[in-house]
Amino acid sequence: MSLGKDGRLTLYARTDGGLVRWTERNPGGDRWDGPDFVPVADLTDLTVVQGANAYVYFLGRRERRGPDGPGVDFVHAVQYQSGRPVTEWRSLGNFHRDREEGRKAGAPAGAVDAQGAVFVFVRNAGRGLQMRREGKGGKWGAWQDLKGSGLASGLVPSVTSGGLVEVFAPGDRGVQQWRQEKPDGPLVIAQPLPFQALDGSVTALETAPGRFTYYWSDANRTGVVSYRAGAWPVPVGGSPGDGAVVALRTPLDGYDCTVLAQRGAGGTLLIGVCATEGEQGGVWWSDTAAECAGDPALALDGHGRVVVAVCGRDGSVSVARQEAGPGLTLSPHWHRL
């Protein structure tokens, strides 16, 4: 989900032949327009990222069959305002010249810095990291090899409130990270961390200026952990399935809190709440009993209320919104879109 400048939420999901979206009719209201279908032929993967300008950027991996066999390239498009048309999809090519090598490239992940420059990251055939960056005036630079090895598919790029880009990448040898030391500067690889995160489970949340807390499911299935630079991971409980942990910050009862959401091992949505950077004091988990077949989505609406969206096994999408009450109280009745 993304929040537009007009205070309306938009929810996106990939489907056969493209993507679908639903948009709130009014900020914080229960009526949604959609689904609107945005055609994108041959799309295998889709990532949606948003910049400080509230523009929504779509990054996709496309596999098309040609006279020489299947070929892969990466595409991008932009939505400038809530409910408005998506721009033309343009190709970013592929960093591998060999067609077979190119097919081994992973799904794109992205971030948008404070100047509105889009960064696209992809795991290459050798399981290292490639990056392509949009420059001033919308002109794209060449693909760059940022090195690394043994990376898993779940790349997690993030941007601090000061505009610095970081990439967190789990892999065979633990976690590898790249960071900018100054705006517009190069991304520099750091020493690897000896932590094993379940691929596809990692999320990042800025919990203090310039500092991220990372959450992931432990690869040994012992639950969710939190991690901040300079410390060891802290177990925070939960009963995760094999999908993503998602997170946001919001005040609850006058306290700065972090809300976590995940698909539990039983296939229902679990919600966790703790004081921001206070995970050692405990995370309070609750099972909503709502069916959750894929990764959930979390966002704050135009009135600052928590909204969570889930997908059912039948492909339906439902949302619940925070209601008045102590702590985090979600509406008992889910609204099916």
Side-chain angles (χ1 to χ4, degrees):
M1 279 187 289
S2 67
L3 181 66
K5 285 186 175 180
D6 60 0
R8 292 189 295 161
L9 287 172
T10 304
L11 178 63
Y12 307 91
R14 188 169 68 87
T15 189
D16 291 340
L19 66 98
V20 289
R21 71 178 186 190
W22 294 262
T23 305
E24 283 183 320
R25 189 165 296 178
N26 298 296
D30 288 330
R31 300 184 69 181
W32 296 68
D33 292 325
D36 298 323
F37 176 65
V38 180
V40 196
D42 307 310
L43 201 65
T44 64
D45 299 273
L46 176 70
T47 297
V48 181
V49 295
Q50 189 174 27
N53 54 14
Y55 297 168
V56 176
Y57 300 87
F58 305 94
L59 308 172
R61 180 186 183 276
R62 182 171 62 181
E63 185 165 343
R64 296 182 292 178
R65 182 168 295 277
D68 298 325
V72 165
D73 71 341
F74 300 96
V75 293
H76 69 103
V78 187
Q79 175 186 293
Y80 293 109
Q81 292 178 302
S82 303
R84 300 297 297 167
V86 174
T87 65
E88 177 185 358
W89 292 77
R90 299 182 182 276
S91 178
L92 293 170
N94 191 317
F95 37 82
H96 288 299
R97 294 184 179 181
D98 180 82
R99 182 178 290 266
E100 287 303 313
E101 290 287 285
R103 291 184 64 196
K104 297 176 184 178
V112 186
D113 72 9
Q115 289 74 43
V118 183
F119 291 69
V120 181
F121 301 94
V122 181
R123 186 187 68 173
N124 60 33
R127 299 181 68 190
L129 186 64
Q130 301 283 150
M131 180 192 77
R132 193 168 185 189
R133 175 181 175 178
E134 182 188 29
K136 295 181 179 179
K139 184 177 181 180
W140 287 82
W143 285 102
Q144 299 177 42
D145 186 352
L146 299 184
K147 307 302 180 183
S149 63
L151 302 184
S153 58
L155 308 174
V156 183
S158 305
V159 182
T160 69
S161 54
L164 300 179
V165 177
E166 293 190 10
V167 181
F168 186 100
D172 297 343
R173 303 171 186 174
V175 171
Q176 295 178 48
Q177 291 181 285
W178 288 258
R179 295 189 183 94
Q180 279 184 324
E181 297 178 355
K182 60 181 181 179
D184 296 325
L187 275 92
V188 179
I189 191 168
Q191 289 294 321
L193 302 171
F195 310 138
Q196 296 298 321
L198 187 68
D199 189 18
S201 70
V202 183
T203 194
L205 181 68
E206 190 177 29
T207 52
R211 181 168 66 228
F212 288 109
T213 299
Y214 290 93
Y215 299 92
W216 66 77
S217 298
D218 183 80
N220 296 317
R221 305 295 180 132
T222 58
V224 178
V225 300
S226 67
Y227 167 77
R228 281 182 289 279
W232 286 93
V234 175
V236 298
S239 178
D242 58 359
V245 181
V246 294
L248 59 72
R249 285 177 68 183
T250 187
L252 297 174
D253 300 332
Y255 295 96
D256 180 2
C257 292
T258 293
V259 179
L260 306 174
Q262 63 176 188
R263 180 176 71 254
T268 56
L269 175 72
L270 306 183
I271 297 288
V273 177
C274 66
T276 297
E277 296 200 349
E279 298 89 356
Q280 289 182 323
V283 176
W284 287 265
W285 291 96
S286 60
D287 190 336
T288 67
E291 185 179 274
C292 185
D295 294 337
L298 274 178
L300 297 177
D301 70 11
H303 300 300
R305 297 173 297 181
V306 175
V307 180
V308 60
V310 295
C311 184
R313 283 191 291 269
D314 61 356
S316 63
V317 175
S318 300
V319 298
R321 199 178 304 264
Q322 180 181 1
E323 292 189 335
L328 176 59
T329 303
L330 293 176
S331 55
H333 302 294
W334 288 74
H335 178 65
R336 182 166 172 160
L337 301 184

